Amino acid sequence: MAIAIFGDIHGNLEALEAIIKSIKKNRKIKQVYFLGDAITFGPDSSACLKLLAKNPWIKCVVGNHEQRVVRYDKSVSTMTYAGIKHMEYIYHSLDNDDLRFIKTMPNEIKINFKGVNIIFVHYSLDEHGVVRDDYEEFSESQLEKLFGEKVFDIIFFGHIHRRKIIIDETGKSYVCNGASGCVKGDETFYTYFDVNDKMREKNYDIYRVNVKFNRRRFEEKMRILPIPEKVNFAKHCFGMDLTE
């Protein structure tokens, strides 16, 4: 029995569809966790939320983008690195079912998997349960500051789009999962995780599973839809140059 983890889809429906299809084919995977930020930047925020809601076996935690859009006001633009026009566009693209689904997402999920205590969370939370708006690339010295008050063996988080893994089998381990939606080619990914508990000391089996998705269809929608600020997001999030 293994676990699949992915997050930060950011409106990339084609990537999300491909990930779900791939996970379903892997009979070893029995639990699936989504680390938040299904929305913004890409063309299909509402469709991504609906697909996750349609598959309740995928356990979802809330991302900062979902939090900000539910608590909607103009301050969201300073907390998501998206401008007011973009956030208004995303907000008005969601329906009541989308907003209700977001409100069901917990801040974090804790499990014990084969004797290993695991936390799934979008990122560090403040005392009010709000995802912090810090986007700096983390270092090992920062991890204890971000998550030190929590009790776990391994924590999976997103938010920072660059994937990074620090494994310490005798202490706390950290997995920054990266962004499965913000990719610049035709491959997305999810993380496969298992625990080898046959040995005297537990060992983690963790690796990236690459998955092809329909990049052409995704790019067509990015070009056609009137998404505010899309030139900037297309370049920095998806590697597209819309000025050509």
Side-chain angles (χ1 to χ4, degrees):
M1 183 174 72
I3 294 174
I5 309 103
F6 65 100
D8 292 273
I9 284 294
H10 285 297
N12 188 339
L13 179 63
E14 285 69 31
L16 178 58
E17 290 173 335
I19 288 170
I20 292 174
K21 184 177 180 180
S22 176
I23 289 173
K24 284 181 175 179
K25 290 180 178 179
N26 191 325
R27 295 184 179 180
K28 291 183 179 180
I29 295 173
K30 302 301 182 183
Q31 298 181 37
V32 184
Y33 296 90
F34 176 71
L35 300 178
D37 277 4
I39 66 173
T40 67
F41 303 155
D44 286 305
S45 290
S46 178
C48 287
L49 288 171
K50 285 180 169 55
L51 185 54
L52 290 169
K54 186 180 177 181
N55 292 278
W57 48 273
I58 303 174
K59 306 304 180 184
C60 304
V61 298
V62 70
N64 61 304
H65 287 248
E66 283 92 14
Q67 278 190 338
R68 287 0 179 220
V69 82
V70 166
R71 305 176 183 187
Y72 184 72
D73 60 45
K74 290 189 176 182
S75 70
V76 297
S77 65
T78 65
M79 297 197 176
T80 59
Y81 283 73
I84 292 172
K85 288 184 179 180
H86 183 80
M87 292 307 299
E88 285 180 344
Y89 175 87
I90 297 300
Y91 177 74
H92 291 296
S93 75
L94 306 181
D95 60 26
N96 288 333
D97 288 338
D98 299 328
L99 297 176
R100 278 193 290 267
F101 177 62
I102 289 173
K103 291 176 182 179
T104 69
M105 294 177 175
N107 288 340
E108 64 181 28
I109 297 173
K110 298 179 181 180
I111 66 169
N112 184 283
F113 178 72
K114 297 184 179 181
V116 176
N117 294 310
I118 304 175
I119 294 178
F120 304 95
V121 66
H122 184 67
Y123 194 57
S124 178
L125 305 169
D126 68 15
E127 64 274 18
H128 304 294
V130 176
V131 179
R132 300 183 192 278
D133 58 343
D134 179 6
Y135 282 83
E136 293 182 6
E137 295 290 340
F138 68 87
S139 63
E140 292 185 44
S141 62
Q142 291 175 303
L143 291 173
E144 187 67 23
K145 180 180 178 181
L146 290 173
F147 303 109
E149 79 284 0
K150 297 183 181 297
V151 177
F152 60 88
D153 297 311
I154 184 167
I155 187 167
F156 290 88
F157 63 97
H159 192 60
I160 306 298
H161 290 183
R162 177 170 167 262
R163 181 178 169 87
K164 189 171 184 178
I165 299 174
I166 299 174
I167 297 294
D168 181 352
E169 289 161 358
T170 63
K172 292 181 176 180
S173 297
Y174 302 86
V175 179
C176 179
N177 199 69
S180 294
C182 297
V183 291
K184 298 181 180 180
D186 64 353
E187 280 190 343
T188 182
F189 66 93
Y190 63 89
T191 295
Y192 177 100
F193 177 79
D194 201 356
V195 178
N196 184 346
D197 54 2
K198 295 180 181 179
M199 304 177 68
R200 183 173 297 177
E201 292 185 0
K202 295 182 185 300
N203 290 284
Y204 300 149
D205 184 10
I206 181 169
Y207 57 87
R208 171 179 172 138
V209 179
N210 292 323
V211 183
K212 292 279 189 179
F213 73 98
N214 192 334
R215 174 82 182 190
R216 179 178 296 180
R217 187 171 65 188
F218 170 80
E219 288 191 357
E220 286 175 354
K221 288 187 283 189
M222 281 295 292
R223 295 183 188 280
I224 293 171
L225 291 174
I227 305 170
E229 304 171 52
K230 70 176 182 179
V231 172
N232 179 44
F233 297 137
K235 181 178 181 180
H236 291 96
C237 297
F238 309 114
M240 293 178 61
D241 187 353
L242 298 183
T243 62
E244 296 177 344

